[in-house]
Amino acid sequence: MGDERNLLMIEQLKTYFYLDENRVAKAVDGVSLSIKPGETFALVGESGSGKSMTALSILQLINKPGKIIDGSVSLDGMELISKTDKEMSKIRGNDISMIFQEPMTALNPVFTIGDQITEILRKHKGLKKKEAHNRAVELLDIVGIPRANEIIHEYPHQLSGGMRQRVMIAMAISCEPKLLIADEPTTALDVTIQSQILDLLKEMQEKFNMAVLLITHDLGVVAEYADRVAVMYGGQIVEQTSAKQLIKEMKHPYSKGLIQSLPSFKKTQSRLDAIPGTIPPAYDFPHGCRFSARCPFVMDICTQSNPELIEAASDHHVRCFLYEEGGADIHETASPAAK
Ligand SMILES: Nc1ncnc2c1ncn2[C@@H]1O[C@H](COP(=O)(O)OP(=O)(O)OP(=O)(O)O)[C@@H](O)[C@H]1O
Ligand SMILES: [Mg+2]
């Protein structure tokens, strides 16, 4: 296991937004993670925790006033942060592609489905018009679109949300990328369609041996589809381990709060409906642990300094003083403060 190479490696990535003279939003603040070929890596966390900005940083799609100010992103050992726009646009589409939460924003309303897929195939794969057309029909068929021969001539608005998302997947896999980034690919869809789309993604992943960075706020999705997982809070990873291990034993109080807000867990555990409070704004994080103001286990030290991400158990990293030396004793006796 240990010597298997990484496909994507992110090290100490920092992406900040310079809002005005006094305010800097630390959207991504020292994130490190790596993804192996064919693996599904999930990023979870509440709204505003920095998931999308991490994804967009990988693709070098951060716009002003945002900027990647530090760290490294490498694909197959090739550093991406120093690439030019031209070099990056080649990598996006050939090696890495991305699907978004709302496919309407990524599909062009004035072109047919066919035009949009064939354009990618002609640009990135150098296919001729006829070849590109045939391949586009094939791709629509692969992603489970019925009557692909007819649908190819339709416009995005003529399709249902689920069908549009299938088209997005067809476009994303058209160049057989090594890495597919799926940013909440199913949140706009109803529940039965959600699982169909996620199953389709999994099938495509196996077929093309793609790695997938799956962004979600749903731990149920993590349990079912991910190999590894990082929980983000306030621009940082607060817990990282295998998906199996996380579901078995959440260590960070924030992760525990997240799982307890899941509908399936509510039936058996009624302590917390959702985590009280909200993420502090990214330009105004507290000095100590960024979760301290909402944490039921908060200790004095938590408001004084921000804990490091440490390996609390084998291959299980957590950013919390409860797991630092001496912290475990406190953990044994700690009980959530009364709300
Ligand atoms: N254009 C922008 N200008 C200023 N700050 C921004 C901008 N875009 C993002 N941010 C900051 O980055 C933080 C992280 O945003 P991001 O979009 O990565 O969150 P997310 O985890 O993807 O949330 P969601 O679940 O809502 O998609 C935000 O809280 C915000 O402070
Ligand atoms: Mg997002």
Side-chain angles (χ1 to χ4, degrees), residues 14 95 170 218:
K14 292 188 180 178
D95 303 303
D218 186 341

Side-chain angles (χ1 to χ4, degrees), residues 4 12 27 31 40-41 58-59 66 77 80 104 117 128 133 168 176 185 202 249 270 281 309 323 325:
E4 207 188 327
Q12 288 303 319
V31 164
T40 298
F41 190 105
I58 296 171
L59 291 165
L80 299 186
M104 262 328 248
I117 304 180
K128 302 242 164 56
H133 176 88
M168 281 302 303
E176 293 163 36
K202 199 171 185 72
E249 192 199 349
S270 57
L309 190 65
Y323 299 93
E325 222 160 291

Side-chain angles (χ1 to χ4, degrees), residues 81-218:
I81 289 183
S82 53
K83 295 273 180 223
T84 62
D85 287 350
K86 204 174 156 201
E87 289 168 327
M88 271 318 295
S89 82
K90 221 171 149 187
I91 289 166
R92 294 191 290 264
N94 276 333
D95 303 303
I96 311 176
S97 56
M98 181 155 173
I99 51 178
F100 298 87
Q101 179 173 338
E102 178 34 74
M104 262 328 248
T105 57
L107 290 170
N108 192 328
V110 303
F111 291 106
T112 65
I113 302 302
D115 288 339
Q116 303 190 49
I117 304 180
T118 51
E119 191 198 296
I120 302 177
L121 291 168
R122 297 184 71 181
K123 185 175 159 201
H124 289 280
K125 287 255 155 184
L127 297 191
K128 302 242 164 56
K129 203 172 169 193
K130 183 81 187 135
E131 293 170 328
H133 176 88
N134 292 343
R135 179 67 183 149
V137 174
E138 219 171 82
L139 283 163
L140 291 177
D141 204 48
I142 289 174
V143 298
I145 290 188
R147 300 178 293 108
N149 255 318
E150 294 163 39
I151 296 286
I152 198 163
H153 300 295
E154 294 192 354
Y155 291 87
H157 72 266
Q158 293 176 276
L159 304 181
S160 68
M163 284 296 152
R164 284 200 287 262
Q165 200 56 296
R166 284 174 193 266
V167 170
M168 281 302 303
I169 294 173
M171 288 167 71
I173 62 170
S174 62
C175 294
E176 293 163 36
K178 296 174 192 151
L179 174 68
L180 176 72
I181 301 174
D183 191 353
E184 312 238 15
T186 60
T187 33
L189 306 170
D190 71 49
V191 184
T192 43
I193 309 288
Q194 272 187 30
S195 50
Q196 283 174 17
I197 294 290
L198 288 167
D199 289 341
L200 171 66
L201 264 182
K202 199 171 185 72
E203 195 189 315
M204 295 300 110
Q205 170 175 33
E206 280 159 15
K207 193 166 175 146
F208 297 108
N209 191 33
M210 284 186 309
V212 173
L213 177 62
L214 179 64
I215 297 176
T216 176
H217 55 253
D218 186 341

